[in-house]
Amino acid sequence: QATEPAPAAAESTAASGRAAAVMKRLTGWTRTDAAWLAAQLQADIGRGSLEVEAQKRRILVRVLDRDAFAVGTATLRPSFQPVLDRVRAGIRQLPGEISVEGHTDDIPVNNARFRSNWELSASRAAAVAQELLRYGEFEPTRFRVVGYGTTRPLVANDTEEHRSLNRRVE
């Protein structure tokens, strides 16, 4: 014998269904925005300087270290400036918070400027954020700068190629 669900349970199920539909629509918009941004940055993606991907409600732009920074430094290479100009132009068109996150490989850093990978990753993230903010096109309150050091590798730090992938700013 079938019974009717309790009114509260039915309302909860309906609300869950509506929330899932809204989330599906929002993630669809995020994928569309990420595809648009990737199209704007296609040449840089093709050269291996950047990667763009959609992650739920987040668009991730990955700046690969080999082109942006010399080993052990947080000074952006002048040759990378045009790439960041194109990133700035693209993300300027998109709403939301901008989180700039630095990452390193597992080789310890201890030089005159940086005592640790934490400091290096945070300084690289700050360098990218400052460059994106350079022309006053963004409200600084949209930005957050984070240094993760070695704590969030993309891949195992077991080869030089893998370490290179882990040295990045997202």
Side-chain angles (χ1 to χ4, degrees):
Q1 169 180 354
T3 60
E4 291 291 318
E11 287 177 24
S12 176
T13 301
S16 293
R18 285 190 303 274
V22 168
M23 185 54 77
K24 184 176 180 180
R25 190 169 49 244
L26 290 172
T27 56
W29 290 339
T30 301
R31 284 191 303 274
T32 299
D33 286 346
W36 175 84
L37 184 59
Q40 305 306 304
L41 301 172
Q42 189 57 48
D44 299 305
I45 293 167
R47 278 192 296 279
S49 296
L50 300 173
E51 295 175 353
V52 175
E53 61 185 70
Q55 298 178 337
K56 295 183 182 179
R57 288 289 296 137
R58 178 179 180 183
I59 298 171
L60 185 134
V61 177
R62 185 172 291 126
V63 175
L64 301 173
D65 153 89
R66 64 183 169 267
D67 292 336
F69 300 99
V71 174
T73 75
T75 303
L76 283 161
R77 292 182 178 174
S79 61
F80 199 72
Q81 182 64 45
V83 176
L84 285 180
D85 289 344
R86 289 185 289 275
V87 169
R88 181 188 309 105
I91 64 173
R92 184 178 57 229
Q93 306 300 316
L94 302 172
E97 182 178 84
I98 300 167
S99 180
V100 185
E101 303 170 354
H103 303 266
T104 64
D105 62 23
D106 67 344
I107 295 175
V109 171
N110 189 1
N111 59 37
R113 174 118 191 259
F114 304 108
R115 293 175 296 168
S116 70
N117 282 314
W118 288 100
E119 288 183 21
L120 176 60
S121 67
S123 291
R124 286 182 171 183
V128 169
Q130 288 170 335
E131 186 55 41
L132 293 173
L133 287 163
R134 176 194 279 202
Y135 300 111
E137 297 168 303
F138 297 100
E139 284 297 321
T141 56
R142 287 183 64 192
F143 278 75
R144 164 175 66 163
V145 175
V146 180
Y148 286 112
T150 63
T151 64
R152 296 188 181 187
L154 290 175
V155 295
N157 281 297
D158 55 0
T159 67
E160 181 49 40
E161 182 181 345
H162 285 169
R163 283 184 193 91
S164 177
L165 292 172
N166 289 329
R167 293 187 303 262
R168 67 202 190 278
V169 174
E170 297 176 336

